[in-house]
Amino acid sequence: MSPIRLALVGLGKIARDQHLPAIAATDGIELAAIASRNASLDGVPHFTSLEALLASDVAVDAVALCTPPQGRREQAALALSAGKHVLLEKPPGATVSEIGPLNETARKNGLTLFATWHSRFAPAVEPARALLAKRHIHTVSIIWKEDVRVWHPGQDWIFAPGGLGVFDPAINALSILTRILPNPVIVTGAELAFPANRAAPIAATVEMVSGKNIPIRADLDFLQTGPQSWDIRIETDAGEVVLSSGGARLTKDGVVLSDQPEAEYAGIYKHFTGLIEAGHSDVDLSPLALVADAFLLGRRVTVDAFDY
C-alpha cells in the first residue's frame, strides 16, 4: 500500500514534541501538510486553516487534530465530510455527546475515527492489565500531580470551559484505569478546586467504584512542584501492584516486572494505520465520561486565583 498521507492540524507543543517524531518513525504513514494559524514546518505544505487545506490541491488521506478540544468537533466533522480519516488528540472533544455523531458519520462513510488515549500505549499498561485479570482487587489509589507551568506554559485554553483544567492530565490516569481494571468504573463523588479567576479546576479528588464496590480514590493536582507524580497503586489479594511513571513502570511488592522507555505516540500511529487498513474505528469515551460525571457530582470549592 502507498503510505497514508497525513495532515497535522495544530502545530503546538504536543504536536512538535510527540506527533512529529512518531509520524516520522511509523511505517505506512507520512506527513503531507500542516494546518496551523501560528506555525509552519520547513519543507511541508502549510495552510492557516483546515478549510484552506481541504480546498487546496494537496492530497491527504487523514488528519490528526492536535488543536484544543473546544473546537475539535467542527474540525472533525469537516474532515470526515471531505472523506478523510480522523485522529483525535486527547481529550477527543469538549463534551461526551459531540463524539457520537462523528463516530456515526465515520461509520456511514467507511472512514476511521480514532479517539486516542496515549497513556494506554505506555509500555507497562498491558502487562498490568494481564496481571490484574488474575487477581482480586481490594482498593485503587491514583496520585496524579504535575505542574501546569512546566507542561502547559501559557496555555489558557486548559482553564476555559471545555479545557478540563486538572483533568487534562488526569484523564490520562483515567484512561489507564479503565483499561487495566476488569470491570467498568463509576464516579460516586468529587471535590473540585476552582481558582477564583478560572472556569476549570486546578485540583480535585474523585471517589469511584468498580466491580463489587471496589473503592477507588484519585488525588489530582495541577500545581505540583518538584518531582511529578503519575502513579496508580492497586492493593490485591496477592500484594501491591504499582503502575508508575505514567504507565511506564510496573512493580509488584517492590519487584520490577516491567520498565521500558516511553513510546506512546509511536503506538498511537501504528494503531491508527492498522485501523485505516482494516476499515475500523476506535472510539472509547469511558475516560471522558468519568470526567463529565466528576463535574456533575463534584462539590465546587473556590481557591486562590491562578496566573502563569
Side-chain angles (χ1 to χ4, degrees):
M1 291 180 61
S2 299
I4 297 161
R5 297 165 296 188
L6 179 79
L8 197 60
V9 183
L11 194 58
K13 189 175 189 301
I14 193 66
R16 290 185 178 276
D17 291 353
Q18 299 290 352
H19 287 262
L20 290 178
I23 294 164
T26 302
D27 293 335
I29 196 165
E30 63 182 18
L31 184 62
I34 297 286
S36 173
R37 289 179 299 175
N38 304 311
S40 61
L41 195 65
D42 289 345
V44 180
H46 172 256
F47 303 87
T48 57
S49 69
L50 177 58
E51 291 87 346
L53 166 61
L54 295 174
S56 76
D57 58 1
V58 174
V60 299
D61 307 302
V63 300
L65 299 180
C66 303
T67 50
Q70 290 94 330
R72 199 92 48 76
R73 177 180 64 84
E74 293 85 354
Q75 293 174 328
L78 181 64
L80 290 168
S81 68
K84 313 304 178 186
H85 307 289
V86 174
L87 180 152
L88 302 169
E89 242 296 353
K90 68 85 190 172
T95 69
V96 178
S97 60
E98 68 190 50
I99 309 301
L102 298 175
N103 199 26
E104 182 62 14
T105 298
R107 185 192 66 80
K108 287 181 177 179
N109 292 283
L111 298 168
T112 291
L113 181 66
F114 179 26
T116 66
W117 301 109
H118 65 80
S119 290
R120 287 184 174 177
F121 291 87
V125 169
E126 288 306 307
R129 182 171 185 257
L131 179 62
L132 293 174
K134 305 172 184 177
R135 300 287 180 251
H136 178 73
I137 299 170
H138 297 311
T139 64
V140 181
S141 174
I142 298 170
I143 307 295
W144 217 262
K145 300 182 178 183
E146 64 179 60
D147 192 342
V148 64
R149 296 158 296 199
V150 172
W151 299 99
H152 300 280
Q155 295 182 15
D156 286 331
W157 63 264
I158 288 178
F159 291 104
L164 302 189
V166 72
F167 288 99
D168 179 80
I171 204 170
N172 295 328
L174 300 177
S175 72
I176 294 174
L177 181 73
T178 50
R179 178 62 184 169
I180 63 176
L181 293 189
N183 295 298
V185 178
I186 299 169
V187 174
T188 58
E191 181 173 286
L192 313 178
F194 281 73
N197 61 336
R198 300 290 180 172
I202 202 162
T205 57
V206 183
E207 303 289 345
M208 296 166 278
V209 296
S210 181
K212 296 181 178 179
N213 289 323
I214 297 167
I216 303 166
R217 178 184 172 92
D219 290 298
L220 318 172
D221 189 2
F222 221 173
L223 289 177
Q224 175 87 334
T225 58
Q228 311 285 275
S229 304
W230 302 295
D231 305 324
I232 301 176
R233 296 181 175 272
I234 307 106
E235 293 290 343
T236 78
D237 58 344
E240 184 184 53
V241 175
V242 179
L243 196 56
S244 57
S245 301
R249 191 170 192 264
L250 177 66
T251 62
K252 179 180 173 296
D253 291 332
V255 177
V256 177
L257 302 181
S258 180
D259 191 0
Q260 301 178 42
E262 180 273 325
E264 297 175 10
Y265 280 81
I268 280 177
Y269 277 100
K270 181 179 179 180
H271 188 53
F272 189 42
T273 58
L275 288 171
I276 293 172
E277 291 169 5
H280 296 158
S281 289
D282 183 353
V283 182
D284 175 17
L285 299 181
S286 56
L288 186 59
L290 292 178
V291 173
D293 288 350
F295 274 85
L296 282 170
L297 293 177
R299 184 175 71 90
R300 175 171 175 159
V301 298
T302 301
V303 296
D304 291 341
F306 167 75
D307 290 299
Y308 287 96

